[in-house]
Amino acid sequence: HSALWRLRLCSSQLALPTAAPPQTAPAAWPRSPQPPAPAPPQTAAPPLPPSPPPSPSSPPSPPPLPPPPPPLPPPTDCWDGCRAAGPCPEFCGYGRSCCKTGWLALGCPETIDPACDGYHCCVDDVPFPSPPPSPPPPSPPPP
């Protein structure tokens, strides 16, 4: 009997394991699919106010200017091609003469514009003076 009592006493002092609490599933476990939350209703942005018309004090900008023409080539010295001052159709062309500022030559103007200073250049011919009229024939000798 005393052994039984001891067993009861011992069993009351023994810590018996208790039932473990139920485990909850970790967050990584799949869950049942849930519908997505509804999107908030879309509201249209208020319309922008119309842009003001251009002020009359600012005229439209002018179109860009065309590029300047290329510079003219320097005049060609015609002395080597003509070998003389004056009419030179073979180098300067028909109705043109090889002339130099300050030189007087048949077909050359008194002034050349633009000037051909220091070299001969092709210019338009000036009209040649008319030849003087022929002298009258000599009168016959008296008889």
Side-chain angles (χ1 to χ4, degrees):
H1 163 281
S2 77
L4 185 61
W5 183 79
R6 269 193 214 142
L7 183 61
R8 279 190 194 167
L9 181 63
C10 289
S11 67
S12 67
Q13 292 177 351
L14 283 176
L16 295 176
T18 59
Q23 292 185 350
T24 57
W29 286 4
R31 298 178 183 209
S32 61
Q34 295 181 0
Q42 298 270 339
T43 57
L48 296 174
S51 60
S55 65
S57 63
S58 60
S61 60
L65 296 174
L72 295 174
T76 303
D77 192 334
C78 56
W79 183 259
D80 289 337
C82 297
R83 296 286 182 204
C88 184
E90 63 275 2
F91 185 85
C92 295
Y94 180 77
R96 296 183 51 88
S97 293
C98 181
C99 303
K100 182 177 179 179
T101 303
W103 286 36
L104 296 177
L106 190 62
C108 293
E110 290 183 29
T111 59
I112 300 173
D113 186 30
C116 298
D117 292 329
Y119 59 95
H120 286 75
C121 61
C122 296
V123 297
D124 291 334
D125 283 338
V126 292
F128 300 137
S130 314
S134 301
S139 31

